[in-house]
Amino acid sequence: MSEELRENLRRVIEAGYQLSADGFEYMSGLDAGSLRKVVDDAIHTANISRAEITILDQQFLESIQEKAQQKTTTEGIQASTMKPCVRPIAADYDAQISILDDHPYESSGDLDGFIEYFRSRFKKISGILRKRIDMRDVVTIGSTLKMPLKSKAKVIGIVTRKRPSSSRLFLDIEDDEDAITVLASDQETVRKGLSILVDQVICVDAVKYKQDLLIANDFIWPDIPMQPPRRSEEPVCAALLADVHVGSVHFREDLFTRFISWLRGGIGNSRHRKLASRVKYLVIAGDLVDGIGIYPNQLDELEIPSIREQYEEAARMLAEVPDHVEIIILPGNHDAVRNSLPQPPIGREYAENLHDDARTRFLVNPCRLQLNGVEVYISHGKALDEILSQVPGMDFQHPIRGMELLLRCRHVAPTYGSSTPIAPAREDRLVIESPPDIFQMGHIHVHGRKKYKGTTLISSGSWQEQTPFQKRVNLVPSVGIAPIVDLQTHRVEELDFKSEDLVLSL
Ligand code: FE
Ligand code: ZN
């Protein structure tokens, strides 16, 4: 037996495969050069194949060599390592995307708009609250005002003011008609009350103490019910990314390119390659590019100081995403759209090449959609800034906790007039109207995930190294981590593209 043959046999066995007698015979007949190539391709193909291949026989090896020959003749000297060798699993399934929320996002632009906007918010969220079984005895603030003192009452209102004073907490709430003040005085109720956000809709379980003052026994969030998630019937996955920041000097192009090579089946062990071949959707939840003039002196930190060129560069990289993968892009606060929510999709005028790519869809931020029957709610997550800095117990290193709070509020940006601008509109489109199966946000640049009731929460990290600003505020970003959600099982696999073997160690 020649040295090459022995060496290649060893490689087959080390990769976990057996060789049939005719397979061995076939290998013995190959010259050293093609032997190595055939074994490489065979191991790779077997690794990512849908069928469980354990034995490599003559027929299999022959088909591998034929494919390799066809490829070299059709592609010439093109970089063949970037091309997937076999048909990926996800290529056998058509994309099933339905956008559940794509009404117009026009602003009404006047004060009436805001009155209507808050009415719409109150109506939608109190409707969600009233569906809970513990809400049968809810009354309006008006009827509470007419009740005798010491009556028990459950009321729903928008929080217009929040005043902590020593160990107590006052909340002013109002509904369509009336207003009342709520006092929380026992420790547990105060603690709960402190995480209530101004302008959010909440239910108070209380006792009437004075004509216009209630003592809170408990606060009830609209929340989401415990329910099993919908599942895809097809074995497909979604890669949930955000904050790529193309154009920034801190953009880690190397890691992002590695991610795309992985999508193409080019890197990773057999399990990771198989996972790549099941990815049908690539979501980018805002901040695809770093933008221009987003913060003072940003120019010093830009590699590409033109927003169109930043999108062009992004298009150039995303063009390498395999054809069967659908790309879904939402805007973030660094993208070339208005800042106030809801943000319209990134327009063709800034991102022509991306718009020309038929696989790419530009959606509104926030957006509710279904991927293979699984309901996904995606939002860039700008309002996390306020929540993580203001709510006791929250911090920027754990954005997932802020996401859970938003889901319990059933709103992606509860507080009006803070650093997250909201566009005046007749309808509040920022209400999370139905409980999603997957809830994704980016923006903070810190990776995290959690199951909350039946929902998978994903906070996507970034593809940008720590910026001087983040350094000043002590924020350590999670760079180059891709969470991959299996839409059939709701399992999440986190791949770390900084690590040689893609394994994330936390
Ligand atoms: Fe960002
Ligand atoms: Zn952002």
Side-chain angles (χ1 to χ4, degrees), residues 284-344:
I284 297 171
D287 291 0
L288 172 59
V289 299
D290 204 48
I292 301 281
I294 308 294
Y295 55 88
N297 302 325
Q298 188 191 10
L299 268 185
D300 301 342
E301 290 176 38
L302 286 180
E303 178 87 46
I304 308 173
S306 141
I307 194 147
R308 286 191 178 79
E309 281 170 33
Q310 290 176 1
Y311 282 116
E312 236 167 72
E313 174 66 6
R316 192 188 59 72
M317 282 183 281
L318 291 174
E320 297 297 326
V321 169
D323 287 340
H324 65 275
V325 177
E326 299 282 321
I327 305 173
I328 294 166
I329 300 176
L330 273 76
N333 53 313
H334 282 251
D335 285 292
V337 295
R338 76 166 187 214
N339 245 333
S340 40
L341 299 178
Q343 289 183 290

Side-chain angles (χ1 to χ4, degrees), residues 243 245 285-287 294 331-335 380-382 385 442-445:
D243 297 283
H245 288 268
D287 291 0
I294 308 294
N333 53 313
H334 282 251
D335 285 292
H380 181 59
K382 178 76 177 65
D385 281 343
H443 185 63
I444 302 299
H445 294 205

Side-chain angles (χ1 to χ4, degrees), residues 129 132 192 195-196 200 202 219-223 408-409:
L129 270 159
R132 295 175 52 128
K192 268 181 131 179
S195 62
I196 293 174
Q200 92 166 79
I202 192 94
F219 296 111
I220 302 157
W221 272 256
D223 213 329
R408 289 174 55 221
C409 294

Side-chain angles (χ1 to χ4, degrees), residues 22-131:
D22 61 359
F24 175 74
E25 203 121 315
Y26 181 75
M27 272 176 64
S28 320
L30 294 171
D31 63 78
S34 23
L35 181 61
R36 191 168 183 90
K37 177 89 186 77
V38 166
V39 168
D40 276 346
D41 288 356
I43 292 173
H44 174 71
T45 307
N47 281 348
I48 62 172
S49 160
R50 260 161 96 187
E52 277 310 315
I53 295 174
T54 49
I55 299 170
L56 311 186
D57 59 14
Q58 178 173 359
Q59 201 189 354
F60 180 73
L61 295 169
E62 265 175 2
S63 73
I64 296 293
Q65 207 193 10
E66 266 165 37
K67 248 183 240 160
Q69 277 162 354
Q70 278 167 11
K71 203 153 108 188
T72 40
T73 48
T74 53
E75 289 172 9
I77 49 165
Q78 228 181 12
S80 64
T81 50
M82 282 296 275
K83 299 275 169 193
C85 294
V86 287
R87 193 171 161 78
I89 295 170
D92 286 341
Y93 300 95
D94 288 336
Q96 295 176 41
I97 306 180
S98 33
I99 312 297
L100 301 173
D101 243 356
D102 64 345
H103 7 148
Y105 33 84
E106 89 290 341
S107 318
S108 67
D110 54 18
L111 187 65
D112 277 0
F114 274 113
I115 296 168
E116 290 212 31
Y117 172 81
F118 279 105
R119 279 213 180 112
S120 158
R121 175 184 296 194
F122 183 75
K123 192 167 169 228
K124 286 186 182 192
I125 302 182
S126 59
I128 293 171
L129 270 159
R130 281 170 182 274
K131 277 195 201 128

